[in-house]
Structure formats: C-alpha cells, structure tokens
C-alpha cells in the first residue's frame, strides 16, 4: 500500500512540474531560468582610464517589428511584418495539412475569423500571428472548428478563430505551428467597411469549365428583378464565354472571386484520382460569402444558378420581407422541381420565340412536380448575416441570434429548374405560371444584355 501511495505522490509531482513549465512558457517566461556562475567574484581593481575621442559611424537599422505594450512583439524579434499578404487565394499554412483562404475582423467579438481547410489527420495546434495597423505583433492561440461537410474526404473546410487583444485593429494574420514560427503564408484581414445594398446573392463555386452563359444571364437578370443588388460568384473553372459575361457585369454589382483549391476535386469526365474534398469545398465558399457580406448587406441569399426564391403574392423580396417576422436569423424556403426535361409550355405569349432563342428556361417551363419538399429537404434560405455564425447547405448550422423562420409555400417558394432526363416518368405534375408575372421585364433585360454581348456564345460549349 505504501508503494502505491509513493507512486501517486510521484505522479502528482510530475504533473504539477510540467503544468508549471507549460504556464511559464505560454506567459512569456523562459522554461528554465539561466544558471548563474557559482564562482566567487573577485573585487575589481581601480584602473585609470584615458578618454579618447573617436568618431564611430552610426548605421541605422530598420526595426523588424514594433514592441507593443501587452503584445508579444519583444518575444519574436526575428519576425518581419509580412509584405506580401494575400486574400481570396488558397495558401498553405502548415505544409499540406492546413490551407487558408480569407480572414475577417469582427470587432464585436474581438476576433479574426479565418476561412480555411484542413487534412482531418492534421494534429499540431495553431497560433495566430496578428499584425495591427500600429505595426505591432500579437500572438494568440487559434481555435478550430470544422464545417459539416467532410463526407469521408481527406479535407474538410474549417473555421480558425484568432482572439484579438483589446485596442488593436488587425491588418494581417498568419497561422503557424509555434508562437514565433516563420509563416508560410499571410492573409490580409478584411474589415467591416462597404455597402452592397439590401440583398447579396451567394452562389456555389462554378466548376467543370462552366459554359452556360445563357443560364448565367437569366439568373442574374431574374434575381435583379426580385431585388438582388450584389452577386458573389466563386470561380474554380469557367469557360471563356462565361468569363466575358461576368466581365460585362463587373461594374453592375457582380463580384467574381477566384477559388483555386489546392487539393484534388471532382472531375468530368471522371478520372481515377481520389477526390480529396467534398464538391469543390462549397461550404467553405458559402461561409466565406457570409463573412464577406456580414456588415455590407442586411440580407444574404444562398441559392444555386438554377434556383429562384419566388414570392407568390408580392413582386419582390423587399415587399416579401415587410410581411415576415423581424429579428430572425434565417428564412427558409421550400423546394419544388420545375422539370427541364418536360415539354415547354404550350401557351403562346409575346416574346416566346426570343425566350427559345436565348434559352430563358423560367419562361418556357411552366410545369413542376406537384410535390413540395418538406422543410430542410433541398431548402434554401435568406439570412440576416449578423445573426448567423455558420452555414450548412440547406439550412443554417449555428445561429448568433434569431433562429429560423419557415416561410409557407403559398407565401414564397423556391423554384428549382432541374433536368432529370426522364420525360416519361409518372411523377405528378402541377401547372405553375407564377413566373409569368415577371415575363415582360425579364425578356426586356435579357435581350438588352445579349444585345451588348453579341459575340459571346450562349453555350454550353464542348467540355475541354
């Protein structure tokens, strides 16, 4: 029994000793104090010193960093302020284990949110090297949380949260594996300034050399009628014709953001290469768009190119939201499929030939499945970004305030124009002509746009 007690005392002593070392290391002190020379010091003899006037050249050295009260500047004297910080660009932060893309300062929470991705087998804890607008360096411990999209792939998109000491405004951040480690990447931190209008639309990354320019024009013009003031498109791979369309819209509220994922993604035609991240890291892009517009738009709309949130009783989203409860986090809209493989409407209308020429699917397809999907099944949503912490694909993952409001389908419905390539199936149909209320304006705006893009192919173009 005495032997057991002795081992218990030893274990407690070892634990206490190493806890002290960890505390001392993280609070700026040396792990071991320097050992002083134990030899007795002989008394110094009086020495006559002759003063000689010597002119010594002075070399001015640019300080590598500014020592900041309360910061860690004096602890990392060999680090320089990064001069090539980037944002909206995937960079390695820890070899091939962690990548970072963008960073956003949130003054109300005193932290910087970094959007990135990590290998699920990555282990090292990360530190945040934060450079303030005063030129000083602070180092804080990063916390990490995965987005819910792993799907069994090697990489998952993640949030990396960097606490910001009070009183500073961070301008650059690097994630490193040790406090004073030399960073392999640096991100320019986005602030809160900017105004993108009432409704910003965020779209899943464009991929597979996307070339349906006709679909893109229709999507932008239809959403502008509904109230969209700004669009954010993420580009993994697009064809030249789509790039030309996006260039045309660049000064009309359309933002094109590169999405240069550094890991293996889905391919078409399929190749015998393991896919390392789920569907082009779409949750990373959607959550980046959330933080990008948190202080720039009161509402952010999340939908794909072939989806439209259509009010059933009013003409636009502004009028719709005047009828909905206030102070919510998200407004959920139920999905129904308008089948592109079913025949065009048999109804004649002015402009039908032009609708066919420019492939305006919303005007040509008036039949939908009678089925309206349950809540959160293929749903999409509009959020109040200040009230939302993290997004999923079909619903909000975490709220800051407000919770969900489910919009009834007779108030607004999400039209999803999808091709199942099975025109003879027995799915029950329902005629739905609600979109025709927008026909004249939509036709006019689409034709006007294509009149200025005469040399741009409608698409789709052969895949290469």
């Amino acid at each position: 029994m005495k032997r057991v007690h002795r081992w218990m005392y030893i274990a407690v002593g070892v634990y206490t000793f190493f806890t002290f070392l960890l505390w001392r290391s993280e609070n700026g002190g040396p792990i071991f104090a320097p050992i002083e020379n134990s030899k007795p010091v002989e008394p110094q003899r009086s020495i006559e010193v002759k003063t000689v006037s010597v002119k010594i050249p002075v070399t001015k050295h640019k300080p590598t960093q500014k020592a900041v009260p309360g910061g860690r500047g004096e602890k990392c004297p060999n680090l320089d302020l990064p001069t090539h910080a980037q944002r909206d660009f995937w960079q390695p932060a820890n070899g091939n284990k962690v990548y970072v893309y963008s960073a956003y300062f949130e003054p109300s929470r005193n932290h910087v949110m970094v959007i990135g991705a990590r290998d699920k087998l990555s282990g090292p804890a990360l530190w945040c090297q934060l450079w303030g607008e005063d030129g000083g360096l602070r180092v804080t411990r990063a916390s990490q949380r995965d987005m819910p999209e792993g799907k069994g792939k090697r990489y998952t998109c993640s949030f990396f949260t960097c606490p910001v000491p009070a009183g500073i405004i961070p301008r650059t951040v690097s994630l490193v594996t040790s406090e004073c480690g030399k960073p392999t990447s640096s991100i320019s931190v986005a602030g809160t300034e900017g105004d993108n209008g009432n409704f910003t639309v965020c779209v899943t990354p464009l991929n597979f050399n996307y070339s349906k320019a006709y679909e893109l024009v229709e999507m932008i013009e239809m959403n502008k009628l509904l109230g969209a003031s700004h669009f954010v498109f993420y580009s993994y791979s697009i064809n030249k014709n789509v790039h030309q369309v996006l260039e045309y819209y660049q000064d009309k509220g359309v933002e094109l953001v590169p999405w240069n994922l550094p890991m293996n993604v889905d391919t078409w035609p399929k190749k015998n290469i393991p896919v390392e991240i789920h569907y082009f890291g779409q949750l990373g892009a959607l959550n980046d768009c959330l933080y990008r517009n948190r202080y720039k738009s009161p509402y952010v709309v999340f939908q794909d190119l072939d989806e439209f949130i259509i009010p059933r009783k009013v003409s636009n989203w502004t009028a719709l939201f005047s009828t909905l409860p206030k102070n919510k986090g998200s407004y959920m809209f139920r999905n129904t499929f308008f089948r592109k493989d079913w025949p065009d409407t048999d109804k004649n209308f002015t402009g039908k030939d032009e609708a066919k020429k420019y492939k305006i699917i919303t005007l040509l397809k008036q039949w939908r499945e009678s089925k309206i999907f349950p809540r959160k099944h293929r749903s999409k949503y509009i959020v109040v970004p200040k009230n939302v912490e993290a997004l999923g694909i079909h619903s909000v993952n975490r709220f800051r305030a407000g919770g969900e409001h489910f919009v009834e389908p007779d108030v607004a419905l999400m039209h999803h124009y999808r091709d199942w390539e099975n025109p003879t199936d027995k799915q029950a149909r329902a005629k739905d002509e609600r979109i025709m209320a927008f026909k004249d304006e939509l036709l006019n705006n689409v034709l006007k746009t294509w009149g200025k893009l005469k040399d741009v192919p409608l698409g789709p173009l052969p895949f290469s």
Side-chain angles (χ1 to χ4, degrees), residues 80-299:
D80 294 314
L81 174 68
T83 57
H84 300 290
Q86 301 184 73
R87 66 185 305 266
D88 302 343
F89 187 85
W90 284 97
Q91 310 172 63
N94 176 23
N96 64 346
K97 296 288 187 180
V98 175
Y99 294 93
V100 291
Y101 180 75
S102 57
Y104 301 93
F105 179 41
E106 297 210 82
S108 62
R109 300 213 156 195
N110 287 326
H111 70 217
V112 167
M113 183 64 76
V114 177
I115 305 295
R118 73 174 187 95
D119 185 326
K120 286 186 285 188
L121 297 180
S122 64
L126 294 174
W127 296 82
C128 306
Q129 293 175 351
L130 295 157
W131 294 87
E133 63 178 6
D134 59 359
L137 170 68
R138 283 80 166 177
V139 182
T140 60
R141 179 83 77 168
S143 60
Q144 175 268 324
R145 186 165 186 168
D146 291 337
M147 299 178 196
E149 72 159 2
K151 306 289 185 181
K153 307 300 182 186
R154 175 182 174 183
Y155 287 93
T156 182
C157 289
S158 296
F159 298 103
F160 299 91
T161 306
C162 298
V164 175
I168 76 159
I169 299 177
R171 289 300 180 222
T172 304
V173 62
S174 299
L175 295 188
V176 291
T177 55
S178 61
E179 290 174 277
C180 298
K182 190 172 179 62
T184 58
S185 60
S186 296
I187 314 170
S188 177
V189 178
T192 60
E193 50 286 325
D195 182 359
N196 288 337
N198 282 340
F199 293 93
T200 288
V201 176
C202 299
V203 184
T204 293
L206 305 177
N207 55 68
F208 293 147
N209 205 24
Y210 178 70
S211 65
K212 296 180 180 178
Y214 69 91
E215 181 181 56
L216 182 61
V217 169
E218 178 184 11
M219 182 268 187
I220 292 173
E221 295 299 341
M222 184 67 226
N223 279 289
K224 285 171 70 175
L225 291 179
L226 293 169
S229 50
H230 191 76
F231 298 80
V232 182
F233 293 99
Y234 293 79
S235 171
Y236 180 80
S237 65
I238 60 177
N239 213 308
K240 182 179 179 180
N241 64 333
V242 165
H243 194 273
Q244 290 173 302
V245 169
L246 291 170
E247 277 189 329
Y248 165 77
Y249 280 111
Q250 194 169 16
D251 61 351
K252 300 173 178 62
V254 171
E255 182 180 356
L256 179 62
V257 184
W259 192 248
N260 61 314
L261 287 169
M263 60 284 294
N264 295 336
V265 298
D266 297 270
T267 56
W268 187 263
K270 290 187 179 295
K271 298 179 181 178
N272 190 25
I273 299 174
V275 176
E276 295 182 312
I277 194 166
H278 176 64
Y279 198 63
F280 300 93
Q282 65 173 333
L283 261 187
L286 297 183
N287 279 285
D288 175 82
C289 204
L290 170 70
Y291 281 84
R292 183 179 298 264
N293 293 283
R294 182 180 296 285
Y295 302 102
K296 297 179 181 179
S297 287
Y299 298 101

Side-chain angles (χ1 to χ4, degrees), residues 1-10:
M1 193 67 177
K2 291 181 179 180
R3 183 178 298 176
V4 172
H5 286 168
R6 185 164 58 249
W7 281 109
M8 288 177 63
Y9 295 146
I10 292 172

Side-chain angles (χ1 to χ4, degrees), residues 352-377:
K352 187 174 184 180
D353 290 341
E354 286 81 1
K356 287 183 176 181
K357 178 180 178 180
Y358 292 105
K359 305 181 185 182
I360 307 177
I361 297 299
T362 53
L363 299 181
L364 296 175
K365 303 299 178 181
Q366 304 296 315
W367 291 94
R368 64 170 176 83
E369 294 180 359
S370 58
K371 175 183 179 180
I372 296 175
F373 281 76
R375 296 175 176 180
K376 295 191 178 184
H377 289 258

